[in-house]
Amino acid sequence: MGATVGSVLLSDGLVAVVKRDCPTCVLVEPVLRELGAAVWCQDDAGWFDGDDTELELSYRLGIETVPTLMRVEGGTETARVVGWSREQWEGLTGVTGLGPGLPEHRPGCGSLSVDPGRIDALEARYGGSGLSSRRVELADLEDEHEALFDRGWTDGLPVVPPTPERVLRMLRGTPRDPREVVAVVPPDLVECTVEKVAVNAVMAGCLPEHLPVVLAALEAACAEEFALHGLLATTYFSGPLIVVNGPVARRIGMNSGVNALGQGNRANATIGRALQLVERNVGGGRPGEVDRATLGNPGKTTFCFAEREEDSPFAPLAADRGVPGDAVTLFAGSGVQPVVDQLSRDPESLARTFAACLRVNAHPKLPMAFDAMLVVSPEHGRVFREAGWDRARLLAELDGLLTLPAGELLRGVGGMAEGVPANLAGADLPKFRPGGLLVAHAGGDAGLFSAIIGGWVSGEAGSSPVSREVHA
């Protein structure tokens, strides 16, 4: 009689699992041969009769240490000993005087089946992983990267093939159930599970610790007020921008400093890219189909940075929006407009520079039409910090400076047909709606440069920024 373990049949009696690259296993080889045990070796198919180089038996039996000696009776394991201990081995086997020339005990070695470099592949192969995503088998001569391009699953750049073991490894980044629906993703309004997000996070190049931020970003992007469907379908430039706050940003290695809005940081680049891939591969938001942007912007591949909270004159952006701690804020960003002011040393002068540059957001004669995010650099931020200005004080100053007489904004004024209709003549009009101008802090220590990230159509007609908590 015996037991079937996966594809392996174990006979009743003594069973051992060893590996040749383990001094303790080599030490007890004579004892195992004396006992006549059925011995399965993990790394040398010719050492004993049992070949477990595929590690199926070790995985299914939960072997963590070798040598492991077991007794099987009636097809069931009844006893187990790990490492070498003469007393324990004699107790399990009922044989006295084992290994007379050996030490009384010797610790074992780690099993190959729990090697971090192998465990994901073993779980995918033998573990009943529970992954529900459709499996795609490629032909032997088919290049996996080209296959992903051909199937339309990339953003134009190569992606990491989402093998089952990679997806399982990614899912270890969150305690959430892989089957949990995170959001309904436009434009096709498809339910997106944690597993589907993990698949796209693998493709984007994320690490498992990035996954909670991607999940929070997707929840925010799919909130009704963010209007992702409209953002995808518009002919305007904008796409989702992710700003990350809280200790999570430092913990996963995000960049809030030098070149914060640029390339070179894995977390920044892959988190933003993962969100875009979910929109494309789950929601169906592909350029030239639903995505009708006339020009687009480079940030539609990835646009994500962490706010620089240390030495900032402002509270964290998400905290000021009612979500303290680890959080993301989603904004419909259209691209970066530089702001240069190397001479202002007082907050009033610097605020006037910011106001002059913000006035041209989208068009200098279009008030309350498009949102914006002002990213204040550390050198500019120091001017406000030393003067005691917080975010509310700066926004109040900018609101006053950007309240404009409609006479300057009417259609035809200045020889420009664009502008507001004549029935608004005589009014004073704010450049931004309430809440339509966000202020963040990021960048390297050197450089009297800040940035304006243009937004999309304001409020109910377009997109409103959304902040969400990042759950560990």
Side-chain angles (χ1 to χ4, degrees):
M1 195 170 178
T4 300
V5 181
S7 62
V8 178
L9 177 64
L10 289 183
S11 299
D12 283 356
L14 297 176
V15 177
V17 179
V18 300
K19 67 178 181 182
R20 194 156 201 168
D21 185 27
C22 172
T24 304
C25 294
V26 173
L27 181 75
V28 299
E29 177 188 0
V31 180
L32 291 170
R33 296 193 184 280
E34 175 189 344
L35 291 169
V39 183
W40 297 80
C41 184
Q42 296 180 339
D43 60 351
D44 185 343
W47 194 22
F48 288 93
D49 290 339
D51 176 5
D52 193 35
T53 53
E54 295 295 319
L55 301 176
E56 180 182 6
L57 181 69
S58 296
Y59 177 83
R60 295 188 186 280
L61 291 177
I63 303 297
E64 296 182 353
T65 304
V66 291
T68 291
L69 180 65
M70 296 167 284
R71 176 172 289 284
V72 177
E73 297 177 343
T76 302
E77 179 187 331
T78 59
R80 175 181 293 208
V81 172
V82 299
W84 160 252
S85 164
R86 180 178 291 109
E87 179 182 356
Q88 292 179 356
W89 279 48
E90 291 180 350
L92 185 146
T93 63
V95 178
T96 60
L98 290 177
L102 303 184
E104 286 297 315
H105 56 83
R106 182 71 60 83
C109 310
S111 169
L112 292 180
S113 58
V114 294
D115 184 328
R118 291 181 169 92
I119 192 167
D120 297 303
L122 293 174
E123 184 173 348
R125 189 180 307 154
Y126 305 126
S129 65
L131 295 179
S132 60
S133 298
R134 177 170 60 96
R135 306 294 177 96
V136 177
E137 298 292 336
L138 302 183
D140 290 343
L141 298 180
E142 194 172 8
D143 182 277
E144 58 187 5
H145 297 286
E146 295 299 332
L148 294 169
F149 274 117
D150 293 342
R151 287 164 172 78
W153 297 337
T154 83
D155 50 14
L157 295 171
V159 294
V160 178
T163 60
E165 51 267 38
R166 287 179 178 138
V167 175
L168 287 167
R169 188 181 308 125
M170 183 63 64
L171 286 167
R172 291 196 176 93
T174 177
R176 297 170 70 167
D177 188 327
R179 296 165 295 182
E180 177 190 344
V181 175
V182 180
V184 177
V185 184
D188 292 346
L189 300 179
V190 176
E191 289 187 345
C192 183
T193 62
V194 172
E195 179 184 324
K196 290 290 188 183
V197 178
V199 169
N200 285 276
V202 168
M203 294 171 72
C206 289
L207 295 172
E209 53 264 37
H210 302 162
L211 183 58
V213 181
V214 178
L215 293 168
L218 181 62
E219 290 172 349
C222 293
E224 184 177 356
E225 61 269 34
F226 191 69
L228 182 59
H229 192 157
L231 185 60
L232 285 165
T234 181
T235 54
Y236 201 63
F237 304 82
S238 297
L241 159 66
I242 307 167
V243 182
V244 181
N245 283 111
V248 67
R250 183 180 294 275
R251 191 164 63 245
I252 66 176
M254 292 193 70
N255 182 21
S256 64
V258 174
N259 203 42
L261 306 187
Q263 84 289 6
N265 178 273
R266 181 175 184 176
N268 291 30
T270 60
I271 290 169
R273 189 186 189 200
L275 176 61
Q276 295 283 356
L277 287 174
V278 171
E279 292 174 18
R280 177 191 183 95
N281 294 329
V282 180
R286 295 180 180 85
E289 298 176 18
V290 171
D291 186 339
R292 305 299 296 177
T294 304
L295 292 171
N297 84 85
K300 293 181 76 170
T301 299
T302 179
F303 206 171
C304 175
F305 68 94
E307 188 172 28
R308 178 168 168 161
E309 297 180 11
E310 63 274 18
D311 68 22
S312 175
F314 317 124
L317 175 62
D320 252 8
R321 295 175 48 79
V323 187
D326 291 339
V328 298
T329 297
L330 267 284
F331 177 76
S334 64
V336 177
Q337 171 192 337
V339 177
V340 179
D341 188 330
Q342 298 182 303
L343 299 180
S344 291
R345 295 297 182 267
D346 62 81
E348 291 82 5
S349 173
L350 187 52
R352 290 188 185 95
T353 290
F354 287 164
C357 295
L358 284 162
R359 179 168 177 173
V360 305
N361 182 53
H363 195 285
K365 291 172 62 184
L366 289 179
M368 294 187 296
F370 295 86
D371 289 347
M373 177 183 290
L374 173 64
V375 183
V376 179
S377 70
E379 283 212 80
H380 281 163
R382 185 182 69 247
V383 173
F384 296 114
R385 185 179 67 250
E386 292 176 351
W389 283 32
D390 60 9
R391 182 180 281 108
R393 176 68 182 85
L394 175 58
L395 285 171
E397 186 77 8
L398 291 172
D399 185 56
L401 293 169
L402 288 167
T403 299
L404 309 169
E408 299 179 9
L409 310 177
L410 295 178
R411 294 169 183 170
V413 170
M416 291 179 280
E418 187 61 86
V420 300
N423 65 338
L424 293 177
D428 289 332
L429 302 175
K431 175 66 178 180
F432 298 101
R433 67 183 177 92
L437 177 60
L438 301 186
V439 177
H441 181 254
D445 293 332
L448 288 158
F449 313 116
S450 291
I452 295 166
I453 301 172
W456 185 42
V457 178
S458 298
E460 293 183 3
S463 176
S464 293
V466 176
S467 297
R468 289 288 187 271
E469 181 181 358
V470 175
H471 298 282

